[in-house]
C-alpha cells in the first residue's frame, strides 16, 4: 500500500519504472484527443468541479488512462470525497502513477501523471480515508471506465 511518505519519496527521489512507455509528439496527441482532453491531459489543465462524467459513477470496473489505456485505478478503491472530482485511495499498481512536486498557484502539491504516457491526471493529497490516508483527486476527462462486465467478456474471448 502506498502511503504519503511513499508519495513524497517518489516526487523527490524518482518514480517507479513503468511496465511500458507510450510517447507521442504534441501534434500526434492533438490528432487523437479532443481539445478539452488535450488541454487537461497534455497541458495540465483541470475540469470544473462536479462536471466530469465519472464523478457520480460507481459501476464496477477499471479506470484507464484516456491517452494510452493503461489501467490506473479500480472501482473498489473509489470513494465520495465531496470535492467534485473522482477520488481514489490507491492506484491499481504502484508503478501505474508517477508523482511530481507541483509548486504552481502559490502552494505545494503533488501532481499525479500516468506513468506510461505522462498524461496529467490530477493531484494526490494526504487527507483521504484509512487505511492509506490518500486522496487521488483525478479529472474525469483523463480516464475512461472499463466496466467489469466488459473485462469479463474480454478475458473469456
Amino acid at each position: 500500500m502506498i502511503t504519503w511518505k511513499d508519495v513524497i519519496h517518489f516526487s523527490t527521489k524518482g518514480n517507479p519504472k513503468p511496465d511500458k512507455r507510450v510517447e507521442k509528439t504534441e501534434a500526434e496527441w492533438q490528432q487523437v484527443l479532443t481539445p478539452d482532453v488535450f488541454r487537461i491531459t497534455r497541458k495540465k489543465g483541470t475540469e470544473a468541479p462536479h462536471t466530469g462524467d465519472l464523478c457520480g459513477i460507481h459501476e464496477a470496473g477499471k479506470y484507464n488512462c484516456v491517452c494510452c489505456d493503461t489501467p490506473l485505478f479500480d472501482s473498489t478503491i473509489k470513494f465520495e470525497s465531496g470535492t467534485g472530482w473522482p477520488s481514489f485511495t490507491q492506484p491499481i499498481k504502484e508503478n501505474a502513477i508517477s508523482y511530481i512536486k507541483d509548486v504552481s498557484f502559490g502552494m505545494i502539491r503533488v501532481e499525479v501523471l500516468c506513468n506510461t504516457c505522462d498524461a496529467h491526471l490530477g493531484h494526490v493529497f494526504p487527507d483521504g480515508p484509512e487505511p492509506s490516508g490518500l486522496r487521488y483527486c483525478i479529472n474525469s476527462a483523463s480516464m475512461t471506465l472499463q466496466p467489469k462486465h466488459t473485462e469479463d467478456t474480454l478475458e473469456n474471448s
Side-chain angles (χ1 to χ4, degrees), residues 19-76:
D19 292 338
K20 65 178 182 172
R21 290 286 301 156
V22 171
E23 296 182 17
K24 295 181 182 186
T25 66
E26 186 169 313
E28 289 171 321
W29 284 120
Q30 282 183 301
Q31 289 178 339
V32 297
L33 301 173
T34 67
D36 199 43
V37 170
F38 179 82
R39 178 185 63 80
I40 290 168
T41 61
R42 310 319 305 179
K43 296 296 185 180
K44 302 182 186 294
T46 191
E47 59 200 8
H50 305 286
T51 62
D53 293 340
L54 300 176
C55 282
I57 300 225
H58 296 286
E59 188 174 345
K62 290 188 174 51
Y63 291 84
N64 296 346
C65 176
V66 71
C67 295
C68 69
D69 204 37
T70 296
L72 302 170
F73 301 99
D74 189 273
S75 61
T76 58

Side-chain angles (χ1 to χ4, degrees), residues 9-153:
H9 176 82
F10 291 145
S11 71
T12 58
K13 305 290 186 204
N15 286 292
K17 184 179 179 189
D19 292 338
K20 65 178 182 172
R21 290 286 301 156
V22 171
E23 296 182 17
K24 295 181 182 186
T25 66
E26 186 169 313
E28 289 171 321
W29 284 120
Q30 282 183 301
Q31 289 178 339
V32 297
L33 301 173
T34 67
D36 199 43
V37 170
F38 179 82
R39 178 185 63 80
I40 290 168
T41 61
R42 310 319 305 179
K43 296 296 185 180
K44 302 182 186 294
T46 191
E47 59 200 8
H50 305 286
T51 62
D53 293 340
L54 300 176
C55 282
I57 300 225
H58 296 286
E59 188 174 345
K62 290 188 174 51
Y63 291 84
N64 296 346
C65 176
V66 71
C67 295
C68 69
D69 204 37
T70 296
L72 302 170
F73 301 99
D74 189 273
S75 61
T76 58
I77 47 91
K78 186 178 183 190
F79 71 99
E80 283 297 328
S81 65
T83 62
W85 291 276
S87 296
F88 303 87
T89 58
Q90 289 284 299
I92 204 161
K93 289 173 63 176
E94 181 178 278
N95 68 345
I97 303 292
S98 63
Y99 304 85
I100 308 295
K101 183 178 177 181
D102 177 0
V103 294
S104 62
F105 301 110
M107 62 182 96
I108 299 174
R109 304 180 291 176
V110 177
E111 177 188 8
V112 290
L113 307 175
C114 170
N115 205 18
T116 301
C117 72
D118 298 329
H120 170 76
L121 304 172
H123 291 84
V124 61
F125 302 95
D127 61 1
E130 293 300 327
S132 73
L134 298 178
R135 174 176 53 94
Y136 288 80
C137 189
I138 308 297
N139 289 292
S140 285
S142 66
M143 301 180 296
T144 59
L145 175 61
Q146 180 182 3
K148 178 79 169 129
H149 66 274
T150 304
E151 292 171 22
D152 294 340
T153 303

